[in-house]
Amino acid sequence: MESLIDSIGAFLSGFLSLARGGFDGVNQVTGLLVAVIAALLMADWSRLWATAAAAAVAHVLIGVVRPVLDGAPFVLPDLLTLGFWMTVLALFLGYAIVIAVFFFIKTLFTGGARHAKHAH
C-alpha cells in the first residue's frame, strides 16, 4: 500500500513541477499577452481547457514565427520528440492557470459570464 501512495505522490509531484514550469514559461511578456487576449475572448468557464490549448498552440507558433521575422530561416520545432510535447503540456497547464486568474478578474469587473437569452 505504501508503494501505491509513494507512486501517487511522485506522480503528483511531477505534475506540479510540470505546471510550475509551464507557469514560468507563460510568465513572460509574450505569454502574458497571449493569456490576456485569451481570457478576454473566453466566454465561459467551460471553455477554459480549449482556450488554454489554443493559447499553448499560439505560443508555439509565435516561437516559430518570431525568428523568421528577424531574418532567421524557418525552422519547425521537433514535433516527434517527447521534450517538445512535454513543453507543450507544461505551457497548456501554465496557460490554464493564468487564463483562469485573468478570467476570474474579468468576471469580477463584468459581473460574471454573460449568457445569451434565447426566445422560445
Side-chain angles (χ1 to χ4, degrees), residues 42-47 103 107 110-119:
M42 193 167 86
D44 194 70
W45 281 106
S46 64
R47 302 296 301 157
F103 187 72
T107 58
T110 61
R114 296 185 181 136
H115 297 283
K117 294 182 180 179
H118 300 284

Side-chain angles (χ1 to χ4, degrees), residues 60 63-65 67-68 72-78:
V60 171
V64 169
V65 171
V68 173
F74 179 74
V75 178
L76 282 175
D78 294 327

Side-chain angles (χ1 to χ4, degrees), residues 6-108:
D6 291 339
S7 297
I8 292 171
F11 173 76
L12 291 176
S13 176
F15 188 75
L16 290 175
S17 295
L18 191 62
R20 191 175 311 122
F23 182 74
D24 290 342
V26 173
N27 199 12
Q28 306 293 324
V29 173
T30 302
L32 291 174
L33 286 174
V34 170
V36 165
I37 292 169
L40 290 174
L41 293 176
M42 193 167 86
D44 194 70
W45 281 106
S46 64
R47 302 296 301 157
L48 176 63
W49 303 116
T51 304
V57 169
H59 189 102
V60 171
L61 288 175
I62 290 169
V64 169
V65 171
R66 188 184 318 163
V68 173
L69 296 176
D70 291 335
F74 179 74
V75 178
L76 282 175
D78 294 327
L79 298 174
L80 300 179
T81 62
L82 180 62
F84 171 78
W85 291 107
M86 292 300 286
T87 301
V88 172
L89 177 60
L91 285 171
F92 169 74
L93 294 173
Y95 274 115
I97 294 166
V98 175
I99 291 170
V101 170
F102 286 158
F103 187 72
F104 177 72
I105 293 169
K106 174 186 163 185
T107 58
L108 289 177

